Amino acid sequence: MKDTEYIDELIGKYLAGEASPDEAIALDDWKNQSKGNLEYFEQCLRIFEISSGQKFPRSNVNQAWKKLNLENKQQETKVVSFNNNRWYWRIAASLVLLVGLTAALVYLLRSPGTENLAYEADNTTKQVALTDQSNINIAPHSRLEVDQNFGHTHRTVKLKGSAYFDVTHDDKLPFTVDAGKVYVKDIGTKFNISSSANNDTLVITVDEGTVLLFDSLGTSLTLNAPQEAIYVKSLAQVITPTKETSPVPLHFDFESTSLNDVINQVETGYKVNIGLENPALGRCLITTSFTGQDIETVMTVITETLGLTYVRTPEGYLIKGQQCNQ
Amino acid sequence: MLFKQYYQPLVNYCFTIVKDRDDAEDIVQQTFASIWQKKEELDIQTSVKSYLYRAVHNAGLNKIKQNKVRASYASDAQYTMRMHTSHEPSEPDELKEKISAAIDQLPEQCGKIFRMSRFEEMKYQEIADTLGLSVKTVENQMGKALKILRETLKDHLAIVLIFLNEIY
């Protein structure tokens, strides 16, 4: 009974344009659960449509897809025209040669220690200290890959197998383990990733601090010490054997708030510095809310909404753009 | 595929906010285009689905604000026409009358809130402020109104649904 009351309220909010993104997702998921649910929703929709004279759009998804792909298509056409003209082939061959020579030169002149590194443990555990002072114990028969930009533009490492991580925390460059289909991001931490023999099941144990476990299909979970989670790659599912005791997530509610005020609150909440390329941007207004998002997502949503961009700086972030799209 | 899976649900969600089909489609297409253009720079650590809904929600709210600003400069009449012009065929009068009668039968407060939301296009917060209620009560009463209307009218709505399925 309570459930149907909740659904009626949710549908009402959605149709009245009052649903938050999370509520809209919850309703869409519920609609997809059964034909009955979909019909229930459609009946409510008809009442709204007829009583207010507003029709819901029924889009042509294929047409929209084609429209978006137009630019890619144009690029493909250019490639086809190369096939029809030998001169283009000569130019292309020269370019390939030039690129090849440049690459060879860069390779020969590279400074030592800038190439991709792979650490493999044979029958015993291997200890590795990375350039950012993070220490990793790689379990036997496991492999860790670190690319040349590690510590400069990112701190993502690739893991195949199992390893224990004692990570030096850095707000600006979060340490992330790419364990194949699933990622573990540190939020100031010591944690262990243990893989099954077929590499399908991972056990993530947090000894100290907090990690964010997420995959490309939308699963995401915050784990606090001493929590443990099991991730099954083939099912793309997380199983948490221990009870969740997450701390209260950071929450912001902005309603036509000036960018200056938004920045002040985000700076205090996430302990970062945020600058504006053009001080006049501070007067732009924004309406949004965040609960428990990481700083990168918050920065992305704020700048995307206003049609701006941002870059990382040694102090934090710099919002770029001359004017916002309002 | 991400686009085909989420395009229609996102357009529908955006439409509930901006109340204009073209604006809703433009916003969702721009959101996808922007994600693809910046896919190297974007660092989406949470769910892609959640990111998409949130981006569309924010863009929708900003669109409303832009429209309000434009409407205050341009002719109000033109703006109102754009918001309400519908090229869809009109509903059968019989069904309209049945819905209208069912709304009249709603409990007093419930009916009042439903009318303020649907006919006067007031936001939940505005309704709550006007009637001296909490937003939660408005949500609750709207849910109740929808439940009663659906139960009263479901036999008539079912016929329309079958008819719709034949078209789409």
Side-chain angles (χ1 to χ4, degrees), chain A residues 167-187:
Chain A
V167 172
T168 308
H169 184 64
D170 180 352
D171 273 334
K172 289 160 210 153
L173 285 183
F175 190 98
T176 306
V177 182
D178 172 355
K181 289 190 180 174
V182 64
Y183 304 83
V184 180
K185 184 170 123 180
D186 106 282
I187 312 175

Side-chain angles (χ1 to χ4, degrees), chain A residues 18-19 28 43 289 304-305, chain B residues 13 34 53-54 62 124 150:
Chain A
E18 302 268 351
D28 283 341
Q43 288 174 341
S289 65
E304 283 281 309
T305 307
Chain B
Y13 177 43
S34 147
Y53 275 77
R54 192 172 292 278
N62 279 314
Y124 278 13
R150 197 192 69 84

Side-chain angles (χ1 to χ4, degrees), chain A residues 131-165:
Chain A
T131 50
D132 67 343
Q133 311 299 318
S134 294
N135 289 304
I136 296 150
N137 286 349
I138 306 168
H141 311 293
S142 299
R143 178 187 166 95
L144 186 82
E145 280 180 34
V146 183
D147 84 19
Q148 57 184 333
N149 291 321
F150 178 88
H152 300 289
T153 56
H154 69 83
R155 285 203 302 155
T156 298
V157 294
K158 280 188 179 176
L159 173 70
K160 195 169 181 190
S162 309
Y164 184 82
F165 294 85

Side-chain angles (χ1 to χ4, degrees), chain B residues 27-79:
Chain B
I27 286 171
V28 175
Q29 286 175 19
Q30 276 166 18
T31 304
F32 274 105
S34 147
I35 283 183
W36 285 329
Q37 277 162 11
K38 295 180 186 169
K39 64 184 172 206
E40 303 299 328
E41 299 163 35
L42 280 181
D43 187 15
I44 304 172
Q45 303 289 18
T46 49
S47 137
V48 173
K49 181 164 138 188
S50 164
Y51 176 88
L52 284 168
Y53 275 77
R54 192 172 292 278
V56 163
H57 179 250
N58 292 344
L61 292 181
N62 279 314
K63 186 75 199 172
I64 298 174
K65 258 181 266 158
Q66 283 173 22
N67 286 345
K68 276 184 187 157
V69 173
R70 274 191 209 131
S72 66
Y73 288 114
S75 136
D76 281 352
Q78 265 184 337
Y79 171 74

